[in-house]
Amino acid sequence: MKLRGIVSYPITPFTEGRVDEVLLGRLVEDMVGAGVHAIAPLGSTGVLPYLSDEEREQVAEVVVKRVAGRVPTLVGVSSLTTEQTVRHAKYAEKVGASAVMIIPMSYWKLGDAEILGHFDAVAKAISIPIAVYNNPATGGLDLSPDILSRLLRIPNVTMVKESTGDVNRMHRLVQLCGEDVAFYNGSNPLALAAFVAGASGWCTAAPHVIPRLNVELYEAIERGDLAAARRSFYRQLPFLQFIVAHGLPRAISAALELMGTQVGPLRAPLQPLSPERVAELRQILVDLAILPAA
C-alpha cells in the first residue's frame, strides 16, 4: 500500500479526564468531509505517550470505525518495549486499520541491530503495512537514511515518515532506495520543499483548522502547478510555523477553542498556550479568514 496526499492527525480530546469519543468522531468526520486522503490517530498531536494502553485501543477503534474505510487509516502503535508495540499493532490490525506507524521510543539509545530487531518483530506479528517514523526531537533516536533503507527491506515495512526538517534526508533516501520509495513529510514548514523532493504525502495536524488549504497545496503539486503550490503554501506558512513552534497539541487545541470547539483540558503535564500566544494565534486565524476581525 502506498498512501498519497494529506495524512491528517487528530488530537485526542478529553472530557473530565477521559477520552471524548463523540468529539473525536466529529473531528475525524470533519477531516474526511474536507477531503483529506488518510487519517492517522495516535500521533504526536494525539498525545500518544500520555495515554494508557486502554485509551490507545479506545482511540484506535473509535477512529477506524468512524472512518469506515472511506480513506486509509494509519494508527500509531509506538511503545518503549517491543512487546507492547506488537500488542498495539495487533490491536490496530484487529479493528481494521489500513497500516500502523512506529517511532522507536527508548530510554537507552538503541543500536542499529536493536532497531532492526524491533521492527522485524512487529512485522512478523501483523500482515498490514508499517510506516517508520523518524523524529529525533520526540523519540530521542535519529534514524539515518542508511538505517531507514535497511528497515525498508523488512517485509511489510513500506513507508517512511521523515520529520527532522532536513529535506536533504529525503533526497538521500531516494538515492538509496530509488524514486519509488514511499516517504512522507512530517515537518509542517517543509511541506512545499518535501513535495518537490518527491514526498508521497504530508503528515499534518493542520487539517483541524485549514484542511482546504492543505488539500489545495497537494492538488497543485499533483497537477504540476508549482506557482499555485507556492501561493497556497506561503498563505498557510505562518500557521504551520506557529503550531510547530508552540507544540501541536497545545496549538491545535487553542485554535479549535478559538473556532468554537471546546476540546477539554490537555493531559497533564501539558498546559495550554499563554494568553499572549493565543492572541498571536487569533491574529493568524483572522489573516486566514478563519475568524472574523475584531
Side-chain angles (χ1 to χ4, degrees), residues 3-286:
L3 298 177
R4 296 196 67 85
I6 304 301
V7 183
S8 187
Y9 281 69
I11 64 166
T12 300
F14 299 101
T15 298
E16 297 180 352
R18 298 188 300 274
V19 174
D20 187 333
E21 293 189 5
V22 174
L23 180 53
L24 176 59
R26 196 185 97 202
L27 293 172
V28 167
E29 189 65 35
D30 288 346
M31 291 175 181
V32 175
V36 303
H37 305 96
I39 300 290
L42 299 171
S44 301
T45 307
V47 294
L48 169 70
Y50 298 92
L51 303 179
S52 69
D53 289 337
E54 292 72 24
E55 287 173 328
R56 293 183 184 200
E57 293 176 352
Q58 180 184 10
V59 169
E61 185 168 3
V62 167
V63 171
V64 172
K65 283 186 175 180
R66 189 57 181 255
V67 171
R70 289 173 290 172
V71 296
T73 48
L74 180 63
V75 176
V77 298
S78 311
S79 292
L80 273 174
T81 67
T82 301
E83 179 183 19
Q84 286 298 93
T85 305
V86 167
R87 166 187 167 168
H88 292 297
K90 284 183 172 181
Y91 190 83
E93 182 175 33
K94 175 184 174 183
V95 298
S98 307
V100 299
M101 177 170 285
I102 301 171
I103 183 171
M105 303 166 63
S106 184
Y107 179 87
W108 298 107
K109 184 177 180 179
L110 301 178
D112 288 357
E114 292 166 322
I115 294 168
L116 289 163
H118 181 65
F119 278 89
D120 187 59
V122 181
K124 288 175 178 175
I126 60 174
S127 59
I128 57 177
I130 297 170
V132 182
Y133 178 18
N134 183 39
N135 191 345
T138 55
L141 291 168
D142 190 359
L143 305 178
S144 68
D146 178 69
I147 188 66
L148 289 172
S149 69
R150 293 167 66 188
L151 287 167
L152 287 168
R153 297 171 197 159
I154 297 172
N156 66 317
V157 177
T158 63
M159 299 170 279
V160 171
K161 177 184 173 184
E162 172 56 60
S163 296
T164 59
D166 181 359
V167 71
N168 292 316
R169 298 286 192 101
M170 301 177 184
H171 292 307
R172 181 60 179 154
L173 194 60
V174 172
Q175 282 184 314
L176 290 170
C177 301
E179 292 187 2
D180 290 335
V181 61
F183 71 90
Y184 304 80
N185 170 52
S187 176
N188 285 288
L190 201 67
L192 179 60
F195 276 132
V196 172
S200 299
W202 174 18
C203 300
T204 178
H208 279 287
V209 181
I210 52 170
R212 287 172 180 82
L213 273 176
N214 304 144
V215 172
E216 175 186 278
L217 171 59
Y218 174 70
E219 290 178 345
I221 290 291
E222 281 293 279
R223 66 176 183 269
D225 191 343
L226 190 55
R230 281 198 298 265
R231 288 194 298 271
S232 178
F233 173 70
Y234 285 116
R235 178 160 170 71
Q236 55 192 290
L237 182 57
F239 178 72
L240 302 178
Q241 291 170 324
F242 183 93
I243 63 176
V244 171
H246 303 294
L248 295 171
R250 301 184 196 95
I252 294 298
S253 294
L256 287 170
E257 296 271 348
L258 286 169
M259 294 164 63
T261 298
Q262 305 301 310
V263 298
L266 297 169
R267 175 65 55 88
L270 296 177
Q271 296 185 4
L273 294 180
S274 68
E276 293 79 12
R277 295 303 185 195
V278 172
E280 182 182 346
L281 176 58
R282 178 188 293 275
Q283 185 57 54
I284 291 172
L285 298 183
V286 168

